[in-house]
Amino acid sequence: MAKVTFKIILTSDPKLPYKVLSVPETTPFTAVLKFAAEQFKVPADTSAIITNDGIGINPAQNAGNVFLKHGSELRLIPRDRVGHS
Amino acid sequence: MNPIIYMIGALIVGVVLWFVTRSTGPKNEPRGRPRPAQREVPDDAPPGARRRRRERIHQAVERQREEDRMQREEEEDQEIEQPSAKIGTKKQRKLQEKEERRFAREAQEREREERKKAEEEKEVQRKQDEEKKRIEEEKQAEAERKLQEDKEKREYEEYLKMKEMFVLEEEGEAQVASDEQSQNMLQEFVNYVKVSKVVLLEDLASHFGLRTQEAIDRVQDLLKDGILTGVIDDRGKFIYISTEELKAVAEFVEQRGRISISELARASNSLINLKSETTLSLST
């Protein structure tokens, strides 16, 4: 089973903590999002994952797809700030 | 003997008659009712006949009085209930109209009541239907909710199973670029390009934490301003050519006057140094 790694940075924290996760590539990305939110101790239903460029990632795909399309460096943001400049 | 009896009898009859006329006189006169004719008693009548006759007359008069009274009452009643000739056509018509209106009103009221009853029944029926519908909807909503809950529970369990495969490999805190570092970024950029000579634009971008397109734009702007001199390769590389090298190539072309591209390429290989200065310094 192939695994993909993501480095997810919590940008809402000024210290910019990051966590590197390794997940099987067939995992639905929603589970990855939930896991990352739990790790950072933020509510998962009000969080979203975006790329470093600020492009939103649709979590309705599996982790392998996300890795392919957007790379491994991602950011976790609270959903009330989606769309800020 | 007999004439005396006759005289006494006649006197008695006369007195009686006088009494009778006195008592019924004021009533009878205005009516002008025909009274039973007073017959003279025949001479050969039996002795008590006069008395009997008187009694009979008296009774007849009484009866007549009774009848008159009853008739009067009837007439009065009739006057109240039915229009008689004495009331007049106008009043008669009015009373008739009143009657008709009364009938019409009653009919209307009856109709209204029937309609109300029908409506009430309809209302009751409608309410019952609504109630039934509401109950059904509630049941449906309940079923949907349960379904939703089941789904969520299932998803959660699946998630827990998946979580076991997740691995947290590393964690830490990213370093934010300090102020001094960010001030000389452009200079560093240019220096990096100059030193590297041939550089992949994507590498350049990732080295400086820029997007690839941004790095390309920067390079193009620098080229336009003349801060950098070089060419962008169609394979995504940038080759920095210093001013001296450019001058050398220009001199070569001017010297030869007419030169083919392949010769120029061969000459450029020697004129332009494509190795980065770091590798040069390492080798020397």
Side-chain angles (χ1 to χ4, degrees):
Chain A
M1 164 109 69
K3 282 197 161 190
V4 290
T5 8
F6 292 107
K7 178 179 174 191
I8 301 179
I9 305 171
L10 183 68
T11 46
S12 51
D13 189 338
K15 287 184 288 206
L16 294 183
Y18 68 88
K19 296 208 190 284
V20 180
L21 309 174
S22 176
V23 299
E25 68 172 352
T26 49
T27 340
F29 201 66
T30 43
V32 178
L33 167 62
K34 238 176 153 182
F35 184 68
E38 279 172 22
Q39 293 291 317
F40 282 114
K41 298 188 185 47
V42 293
D45 44 351
T46 60
S47 309
I49 289 196
I50 59 173
T51 62
N52 265 349
D53 303 340
I55 297 169
I57 296 174
N58 181 6
Q61 48 189 335
N62 58 17
N65 270 5
V66 174
F67 182 79
L68 199 65
K69 283 194 220 177
H70 303 288
S72 58
E73 291 223 5
L74 305 174
R75 297 185 189 186
L76 185 70
I77 59 165
R79 209 167 70 187
D80 55 10
R81 286 194 219 150
V82 165
H84 81 299
S85 61
Chain B
M1 220 30 188
N2 274 349
I4 299 170
I5 294 173
Y6 287 148
M7 272 174 46
I8 294 168
L11 257 172
I12 292 170
V13 168
V15 164
V16 165
L17 277 176
W18 184 69
F19 271 125
V20 166
T21 50
R22 225 182 97 187
S23 60
T24 60
K27 288 186 204 161
N28 275 341
E29 275 169 20
R31 299 210 176 251
R33 211 156 295 278
R35 294 218 265 125
Q38 298 197 6
R39 261 178 272 143
E40 271 198 311
V41 181
D43 286 344
D44 53 348
R50 236 178 253 122
R51 195 174 56 245
R52 262 179 294 180
R53 180 171 226 88
R54 275 200 302 276
E55 282 177 12
R56 264 210 300 279
I57 288 169
H58 187 68
Q59 283 175 12
V61 162
E62 283 290 326
R63 231 179 299 132
Q64 189 67 34
R65 245 188 274 158
E66 271 298 316
E67 282 180 17
D68 285 353
R69 219 180 317 137
M70 282 176 55
Q71 206 169 1
R72 238 181 298 145
E73 283 177 4
E74 267 185 38
E75 274 186 16
E76 280 173 10
D77 286 348
Q78 281 176 9
E79 270 184 28
I80 293 170
E81 284 180 350
Q82 291 168 19
S84 72
K86 288 203 173 178
I87 287 179
T89 46
K90 247 196 221 174
K91 201 161 184 182
Q92 195 175 342
R93 214 179 337 135
K94 272 203 190 146
L95 287 168
Q96 268 183 354
E97 282 176 6
K98 216 192 269 186
E99 273 294 311
E100 284 169 11
R101 260 182 274 144
R102 191 162 62 88
F103 279 136
R105 202 176 37 238
E106 283 178 4
Q108 270 186 5
E109 278 188 26
R110 252 175 293 147
E111 215 178 309
R112 220 180 304 148
E113 279 196 30
E114 281 176 18
R115 240 185 294 148
K116 217 197 295 185
K117 228 186 290 179
E119 276 188 29
E120 276 178 14
E121 282 179 14
K122 236 192 287 178
E123 187 75 26
V124 165
Q125 188 67 28
R126 198 173 53 83
K127 276 211 189 107
Q128 280 182 358
D129 288 343
E130 273 184 16
E131 190 69 33
K132 248 187 276 178
K133 227 190 291 183
R134 200 173 53 83
I135 290 176
E136 273 185 41
E137 278 180 10
E138 269 182 21
K139 251 192 272 180
Q140 228 175 341
E142 188 69 39
E144 276 184 32
R145 243 192 311 219
K146 224 166 108 44
L147 209 72
Q148 188 73 15
E149 278 177 17
D150 285 342
K151 207 170 82 156
E152 280 178 10
K153 221 194 308 183
R154 249 182 298 132
E155 280 180 6
Y156 186 62
E157 284 170 8
E158 283 178 21
Y159 167 69
L160 285 175
K161 259 190 284 178
M162 272 191 285
K163 219 164 82 155
E164 293 165 14
M165 304 229 264
F166 293 177
V167 178
L168 179 68
E169 290 187 356
E170 197 191 316
E171 54 184 346
E173 286 171 12
Q175 296 298 325
V176 184
S178 63
D179 281 338
E180 299 124 8
Q181 278 178 341
S182 47
Q183 282 211 1
N184 290 330
M185 259 195 173
L186 186 61
Q187 195 56 46
E188 278 183 31
F189 189 84
V190 173
N191 284 345
Y192 182 80
V193 170
K194 283 186 177 166
V195 160
S196 312
K197 273 308 207 140
V198 176
V199 60
L200 271 164
L201 288 164
E202 282 170 355
D203 282 349
L204 181 63
S206 72
H207 188 265
F208 285 94
L210 296 171
R211 277 187 283 241
T212 318
Q213 189 54 48
E214 288 179 356
I216 296 169
D217 292 338
R218 296 297 161 273
V219 166
Q220 281 175 342
D221 288 340
L222 291 170
L223 281 172
K224 231 187 300 177
D225 292 339
I227 298 170
L228 271 182
T229 46
V231 290
I232 295 184
D233 180 273
D234 51 359
R235 277 189 237 146
K237 292 203 186 85
F238 175 72
I239 302 165
Y240 171 66
I241 305 170
S242 65
T243 342
E244 293 84 16
E245 286 166 347
L246 283 172
K247 271 201 200 128
V249 173
E251 270 177 30
F252 181 76
V253 173
E254 278 174 10
Q255 251 179 0
R256 294 291 289 272
R258 187 186 171 142
I259 188 168
S260 69
I261 300 287
S262 44
E263 269 194 58
L264 181 57
R266 247 181 291 139
S268 308
N269 266 336
S270 55
L271 288 170
I272 299 174
N273 179 21
L274 289 171
K275 288 207 182 66
S276 72
E277 284 173 21
T278 45
T279 48
L280 270 177
S281 54
L282 279 169
S283 55
T284 51

